[in-house]
Amino acid sequence: MASRGYDMTPTMYSPDGRIYQVEYAIETVKRGTLAIGISTKQGVIMAVEEKARTLQTKNITQKIFQVDYHIGVAAAGYIPDARVQVDNARAFSQGNRMTYDESVEIATVSKYLADTAHQFTQYGGVRPNGVSMIIAGIDQKGEAIYVIDPSGTYVQFTAVAIGAGADEVNSFLEKNYNPDMSLEDAAALAIACINLKDEVKDEIKNVKMAKVSSESKVFEKVSEADLENYSKNVSKFSNE
């Protein structure tokens, strides 16, 4: 094995300057199902691919979370790690509201969670979080989407995909994304992204979605009926 023992702890660099434990965590994210974040002037969309088991309750999502009334998270990778980080973000957001009497900015929450994730790369006896998260919402500065990865890096995007097949989906987003598109078209684009490798592009069976519109500035889960309506616009987007 190329790591030759340098992967035993996240505190050890390999001779070529790599931290294998962090790279393994990032690989875990690449094996997770897709998560999409799309920002427009009308709001932000978060969507995930979730394949429910036969007897599983289908109207509950395991991979989209609400942090504050104006912020949501879509996760890819090892979801229990996301759940713990989201609980952390909720406490931080409420603390900010109690201290400053105003809603927290998306960038502030993203940096806080990235700093927390980074701490798990610096100490023996712990492992890096095996999840990446798209943090999306609307604050005083407008619409914002950030991605946090297991290394503690956080980067702002206008549209992004994480998880299995993300490179191909991000190329698809580059071809089809328009910052002036409507929120409905952004939702349709997210559905197209999740079905990119399937023959039927407008299938919603495995899609869970949430949005924060610029009008309400409140996190909302998207109903199956609304997903059905959004899917009618999927034909607008092409991978050619």
Side-chain angles (χ1 to χ4, degrees):
M1 188 176 179
S3 60
R4 291 167 57 186
Y6 293 104
D7 61 348
M8 300 300 288
T9 170
T11 63
M12 186 180 293
Y13 286 95
S14 71
D16 56 348
R18 297 162 66 182
I19 303 176
Y20 284 103
Q21 286 276 318
V22 173
E23 291 186 16
Y24 296 160
I26 292 171
E27 189 61 35
T28 299
V29 174
K30 292 178 182 177
R31 294 168 185 264
T33 50
L34 269 173
I36 316 285
I38 300 175
S39 172
T40 77
K41 292 177 180 176
Q42 292 185 6
V44 295
I45 291 287
M46 291 152 274
V48 294
E49 180 183 15
E50 281 198 35
K51 296 177 181 176
R53 295 174 184 170
T54 306
L55 298 178
Q56 185 177 329
T57 305
K58 293 183 173 61
N59 61 349
I60 297 173
T61 173
Q62 304 291 326
K63 299 174 185 175
I64 295 179
F65 308 86
Q66 183 172 7
V67 171
D68 204 337
Y69 75 89
H70 61 305
I71 303 175
V73 164
Y78 189 55
I79 300 304
D81 283 355
R83 200 169 59 236
V84 171
Q85 290 187 76
V86 166
D87 284 345
N88 204 359
R90 287 169 177 162
F92 176 77
S93 298
Q94 293 307 307
N96 187 92
R97 191 180 297 277
M98 293 290 288
T99 304
Y100 302 108
D101 195 26
E102 64 180 17
S103 56
V104 70
E105 291 184 2
I106 288 89
T108 305
V109 177
S110 301
K111 181 182 182 298
Y112 172 76
L113 286 182
D115 288 348
T116 304
H118 182 238
Q119 287 182 6
F120 283 83
T121 72
Q122 298 182 78
Y123 300 101
V126 298
R127 62 162 175 77
N129 290 303
V131 69
S132 283
M133 296 185 297
I134 296 170
I135 299 183
I138 300 176
D139 57 23
Q140 302 91 319
K141 295 180 179 178
E143 302 80 20
I145 290 176
Y146 286 84
V147 171
I148 298 167
D149 76 11
S151 71
T153 301
Y154 74 107
V155 181
Q156 187 171 10
F157 290 89
T158 51
V160 67
I162 56 176
D167 290 344
E168 189 177 344
V169 175
N170 281 318
S171 296
F172 179 73
L173 283 169
E174 286 172 17
K175 292 174 187 172
N176 290 283
Y177 173 74
N178 178 352
D180 295 321
M181 70 196 324
S182 68
L183 199 61
E184 290 76 13
D185 281 349
L189 179 56
I191 294 170
C193 286
I194 289 173
N195 293 313
L196 190 60
K197 292 184 178 179
D198 299 326
E199 288 185 19
V200 181
K201 304 298 182 187
D202 59 356
E203 179 61 66
I204 62 166
K205 182 174 66 175
N206 298 324
V207 178
K208 301 292 184 191
M209 188 180 291
K211 65 181 180 180
V212 182
S213 71
S214 301
E215 192 175 338
S216 70
K217 295 183 174 63
V218 173
F219 176 94
E220 302 171 67
K221 293 276 180 70
V222 174
S223 69
E224 196 164 317
D226 284 341
L227 279 176
E228 195 72 56
N229 288 330
Y230 296 151
S231 69
K232 294 171 184 174
N233 294 327
V234 165
S235 57
K236 290 182 179 182
F237 306 108
S238 169
N239 199 24
E240 294 176 0

